[in-house]
Every structure is written in C-alpha cells, then in structure tokens.
Amino acid sequence: MANSLLRFVKFKEVANWSPHYLINVDIEFLKRFPLVKISMFLKKNKTQTEIKDNESYRRVTIRMNNNGVLLRDTVDGKQIGTKRQFVIKGGQFLVSKIDARNGAFGIAPDSLDGAIVTADFLSFNIDKSLINPLFLELLTSTKQFVDYCQGESSGTTGRQRINESTFLNISVPLPPLNEQSRIVEMFYSKYNKAQKLEEEANRLENSIETYLQKELGIEIVDSYKKNEKMVIIKFMDLDRWGGDSLKNKEKLSFLKNGKYKVTELKNIIKFIQYGLSEKANSSNIGIPMLRMNNINNAELSIDNLKYINLSNQIIEKTKLNKNDLLFNRTNSKELVGKTAVFDKDGVYTFASYLIRIKLDESKCDVHYLNYFLNSRIGRIQIDLTSRQITGQANINSKELQGFIVPLPSLSIQKQIASNVESIRKQVKSLRSEAEKLRVGAKEAFTRELFS
C-alpha cells in the first residue's frame, strides 16, 4: 500500500535537490491524445546580441499568472549590466525561469520584435506545423501545468527556478491541429463574449462620471492643474498656512459654478472621529475592526477582517452605526480618500487610518456624499489636499471638513444616489456574468485535457 506521508527516491534519480521536485508527480492528462515532450514543438532561440553603451534597448518581461509578455522599459546600453543578451522575435514563446512556478509564460507580440531578455528567460520558436500557439498558451495557463512547474523548480526560497532541460522534458498532450483549433475556438467563443460584457461594464461605469457632472452642472476645467505664481485669497478663508493650501483654494473655484449652491463638509457634519490605534488580531477574538483595505470601489468589504478586544466603555464610544461614512485618511496618493458607507449588522469598530463621519441627514444623504467623494470631482479635491508624508499621502479631519460639496435638495441627492446605484448594479451584474463565462471557458478547456 502506498504511503501518503513518505516517498522514497533513489539518490541516482534525484535531478533537483528540492522537496517540491522530490514529491512532484506527473500531470494527469486524459489518454485521448498522445503525450509528447515540449521539446518536440519548441526550439530554443539562440540569437544573442552584444550590448553597446551608446545605443538604447527595449527590455521585455513576463507577467505572472499567465498575463502575458510586455515591454518592461527602454534603457541605454550603459545601464544594462550583462552585456550579452538574447534578442526575441514576435510570436516566440517566452518562459521566466524564476517565475514559471507562478505562471510566467507567454507569446511575445509582434510589437516587441527585436527586444531583449536576459538569460533568466527562455525564448523558443514554435513549430506551428505541430501546435497552435493559442492552444499552447491555454495549455500552459492551466493550474495543473503551473503547479507542475512549481514542483519542477528548485533553488533557495524566493529564487526557485526551472531550467531549460527540465521544462523541455515536460510531457503534454498533442491533439491533431484541427482538434487543437476546435478546442481553442470553443474557449474563445466564451472568452470573447466575456470581453464584450466587460467592455459594456466599463462603458457603464464611465457613464457615472458623465451623469454626475451633468446632473450637478459642473464642468471640470484644467485650470485646477495650473501652477500659478501668485494667488490672492481672503485671510478669513484660510484653513491651513501653506503654499499648496493657498493655491488650492483658488483652483477649486470651478466647483462653485454648478447648478447648486456649495457648502463645506463641516456644515453638514454632526460628528467626526478618528479610529483606534490599538493593534488588532487575526484570531477572531473580540469585535471586528475595519481597516483601509476593507474599503474598495466606494463599498465596504468584510472578506478580510481583523479583530480587537475592547472594554464595553470603548466599544460604546467607537462602534460603528449604520450610515456612518468611513474615509481613508492615510494611504498611497491614489488610494487616500477612499470612502464607503457602513451598512453592516453587528458590532464593528474601525482603525486609526480611517475617519468616521456622521452626517446631518436632514441636509445631506450619505450615499450621495459617498458617490460624490469617489467621483472625479471628489478626487480632485482629495489630490489637491493630500500631503505626502514618508511615502504616504495624508488628509486630516480639519482638511476633510473643508471639502466643498454641491448641495441640491435632499430629494435630488437621493435620486442622484439611486441612479448611480442602479448603474453600479448593472456594472456588477455584467462583470459577474463575464467572470462566469471566463471560468466556464477555462473549465471546458481543462475538461478536454485533464482527468
């Protein structure tokens, strides 16, 4: 009987000293197609070039998780360490030795013809009389194939790699070309439908910006980008004594030219509060603490929670209530200012990188404000206000309260929020259907080859 815990390998059969290699097993392909070694249809590209200091070169890399070959950068020859590198051609199949275990395979597009790669990459000419390049891409993108390459990679942690001979000796099924074409066509019939749905979702999502700007009567002008040498501002209007703050007051003046009167956020806030700085845990002990990663695309996500033990007194002071607005005050420049409405049942608190806002709901609808702050109009204010501190952008509660908000009647705010939410639901539905089609295409391809 096979031992599930121990596997014995003769020393003479050990090619790579790696536990992954020693326990790896062959890929379990269906027997309907003959198995051949990859070396049968891939031939190593041996074209090299001598790097010259006075010339520029395009360098290529491969995205992990089967996301294709792309241009890494264009650099002067003197910036390239290794002076002999391989020249690739469009249509060649590329492998990253280091990241093959993470699905770093792909076919070079024709636009990258003549670019270079280091010896950390393998590039191969494809024998198209034996294998359809699209079939090859799909085959090497399967989880089974990537997992096998993980097992065949060896080396120190983080630097494990697959060598050329090991990769070329992998056995894979090779259907006749007409059968390969059928399988590829089956996959792309679903995948292309998914792409069309994704494009429609993107179009609808972009329409939210157009709708908001039209409804509020605000035309975003490029004047806010200008760096004027002199700006005159009333002393009574100053919130922060700094050159950037003084200029930004004037740059945001276009917000006042819309259909509705504007107000500063402080005039519609009942309560504002920073979150807790105490350390949370991952052991489900205590109550859940929301953090900046729980805010995504104007929504609250509770997929990855941490917890904290608090006294009843502190819980009462810091527990979130429905319709609280959470504002991410510290993050990277593009992510600071994320907001979401708290709408969950149960007791939750929030971390110090978040600010909790309780609105005067007789003046402002929280969902309207949430969508406004996440719109381009809101992002302009966030980008102009945030300050860079040790690699992170920051907005404090006083700066936040100075944000300018167009304030139509409450009924119009609610209607705007409802219309935006309706579009967002359509976007979600389209993307969900697109993802089902992509998963279905992948599963159908896998069923054709694997047991």
Side-chain angles (χ1 to χ4, degrees):
M1 183 175 68
N3 192 315
S4 61
L5 300 178
L6 294 175
R7 184 179 177 197
F8 296 93
V9 180
K10 293 180 180 179
F11 185 78
K12 66 180 182 179
E13 295 175 355
V14 176
N16 290 325
W17 190 255
S18 164
H20 294 291
Y21 171 78
L22 294 175
I23 64 174
N24 204 28
V25 295
D26 289 335
I27 313 174
E28 295 184 2
F29 290 110
L30 291 171
K31 303 294 189 232
R32 56 186 298 208
F33 303 122
L35 293 181
V36 303
K37 290 184 178 180
I38 287 178
S39 58
M40 184 174 177
F41 50 79
L42 290 185
K43 303 302 177 186
K44 175 73 183 297
N45 166 39
K46 298 179 180 179
T47 306
Q48 286 187 301
T49 188
E50 183 73 31
I51 302 299
K52 297 180 175 60
D53 288 347
N54 59 349
E55 293 185 13
S56 63
Y57 296 87
R58 292 180 301 157
R59 297 192 294 186
V60 161
T61 190
I62 313 175
R63 290 176 180 164
M64 293 188 287
N65 303 315
N66 310 101
N67 284 313
V69 178
L70 74 160
L71 180 68
R72 173 187 168 187
D73 53 26
T74 301
V75 296
D76 294 330
K78 61 185 177 183
Q79 295 176 274
I80 300 175
T82 306
K83 291 302 180 182
R84 291 200 67 81
Q85 304 220 1
F86 290 91
V87 182
I88 66 166
K89 290 183 178 180
Q92 288 181 334
F93 184 77
L94 271 62
V95 178
S96 167
K97 292 181 183 179
I98 294 174
D99 284 317
R101 58 198 175 92
N102 296 314
F105 311 105
I107 293 177
D110 291 340
S111 61
L112 293 178
D113 197 287
I116 60 172
V117 292
T118 68
D120 283 331
F121 296 86
L122 300 170
S123 56
F124 301 99
N125 295 310
I126 303 171
D127 187 341
K128 296 179 184 178
S129 69
L130 294 175
I131 192 164
N132 183 326
L134 293 176
F135 178 83
L136 174 61
E137 272 195 312
L138 292 174
L139 172 63
T140 54
S141 72
T142 60
K143 182 179 184 301
Q144 291 89 335
F145 187 88
V146 174
D147 285 349
Y148 187 77
C149 288
Q150 165 75 52
E152 293 294 305
S153 299
S154 62
T156 57
T157 303
R159 299 294 293 177
Q160 293 173 343
R161 62 183 64 214
I162 195 166
N163 62 47
E164 178 185 341
S165 62
T166 299
F167 181 77
L168 289 174
N169 276 318
I170 298 175
S171 292
V172 296
L174 192 66
L177 278 172
N178 63 338
E179 186 69 4
Q180 293 178 38
S181 296
R182 180 192 68 80
I183 295 172
V184 167
E185 185 178 347
M186 175 194 67
F187 174 88
Y188 278 103
S189 66
K190 293 182 178 180
Y191 185 83
N192 290 336
K193 287 178 184 177
Q195 289 301 95
K196 288 181 180 179
L197 290 174
E198 194 71 48
E199 288 168 6
E200 176 61 14
N202 291 337
R203 186 195 65 77
L204 272 176
E205 191 170 53
N206 291 333
S207 75
I208 293 175
E209 285 295 331
T210 305
Y211 166 73
L212 280 174
Q213 290 176 38
K214 182 179 180 181
E215 184 61 36
L216 297 175
I218 293 174
E219 181 181 356
I220 297 178
V221 293
D222 289 336
S223 61
Y224 78 90
K225 297 179 182 178
K226 294 179 181 177
N227 189 19
E228 299 90 345
K229 293 181 179 179
M230 179 178 289
V231 175
I232 299 173
I233 296 179
K234 293 179 182 179
F235 183 80
M236 62 183 292
D237 290 336
L238 298 183
D239 292 322
R240 189 172 90 211
W241 190 258
D244 56 344
S245 180
L246 300 180
K247 288 186 291 186
N248 293 344
K249 280 285 183 180
E250 180 62 25
K251 288 181 178 181
L252 292 171
S253 61
F254 74 90
L255 289 171
K256 301 175 183 178
N257 299 325
K259 288 167 58 175
Y260 305 105
K261 289 183 178 180
V262 299
T263 188
E264 289 189 340
L265 196 53
K266 64 186 177 185
N267 297 322
I268 54 175
I269 288 177
K270 276 188 172 181
F271 178 69
I272 191 164
Q273 181 186 31
Y274 284 98
L276 295 167
S277 56
E278 285 85 348
K279 190 175 181 180
N281 67 77
S282 304
S283 307
N284 289 22
I285 299 173
I287 64 172
M289 173 185 271
L290 298 178
R291 298 164 295 141
M292 57 186 177
N293 63 297
N294 295 115
I295 299 176
N296 293 295
N297 194 25
E299 291 184 352
L300 206 57
S301 166
I302 55 173
D303 291 337
N304 181 21
L305 288 175
K306 287 199 172 183
Y307 297 79
I308 188 169
N309 263 323
L310 299 170
S311 67
N312 290 336
Q313 185 179 11
I314 295 178
I315 289 175
E316 281 303 309
K317 289 181 179 179
T318 63
K319 71 178 180 181
L320 291 164
N321 301 306
K322 286 190 176 181
N323 284 348
D324 283 345
L325 184 70
L326 293 173
F327 180 91
N328 182 195
R329 69 181 180 90
T330 300
N331 210 316
S332 60
K333 185 74 175 176
E334 65 275 8
L335 294 179
V336 69
K338 296 189 300 178
T339 66
V341 177
F342 179 76
D343 58 358
K344 306 300 177 185
D345 294 321
V347 179
Y348 288 76
T349 189
F350 59 109
S352 60
Y353 285 160
L354 302 180
I355 295 176
R356 176 245 291 266
I357 299 169
K358 179 64 178 175
L359 291 177
D360 182 342
E361 295 185 52
S362 69
K363 296 179 179 178
C364 186
D365 178 76
V366 68
H367 298 286
Y368 164 77
L369 181 60
N370 181 41
Y371 294 139
F372 172 79
L373 290 176
N374 281 281
S375 72
R376 189 179 172 214
I377 306 169
R379 284 305 317 175
I380 288 171
Q381 297 193 71
I382 290 165
D383 291 341
L384 288 175
T385 306
S386 63
R387 295 161 295 158
Q388 205 77 15
I389 302 174
T390 61
Q392 295 262 291
N394 182 274
I395 294 176
N396 63 38
S397 63
K398 187 174 182 181
E399 293 160 348
L400 174 58
Q401 291 179 77
F403 280 13
I404 299 171
V405 182
L407 210 61
S409 67
L410 200 57
S411 61
I412 292 177
Q413 291 178 42
K414 290 181 181 294
Q415 187 60 56
I416 290 173
S418 175
N419 291 342
V420 171
E421 182 59 28
S422 176
I423 297 172
R424 285 169 60 88
K425 284 181 179 177
Q426 293 178 61
V427 170
K428 283 184 185 177
S429 177
L430 287 168
R431 287 191 173 142
S432 175
E433 185 61 29
E435 182 60 19
K436 286 179 184 176
L437 283 169
R438 282 191 289 264
V439 170
K442 199 78 171 179
E443 288 176 346
F445 178 84
T446 300
R447 284 194 299 269
E448 293 284 337
L449 300 179
F450 297 97
S451 57

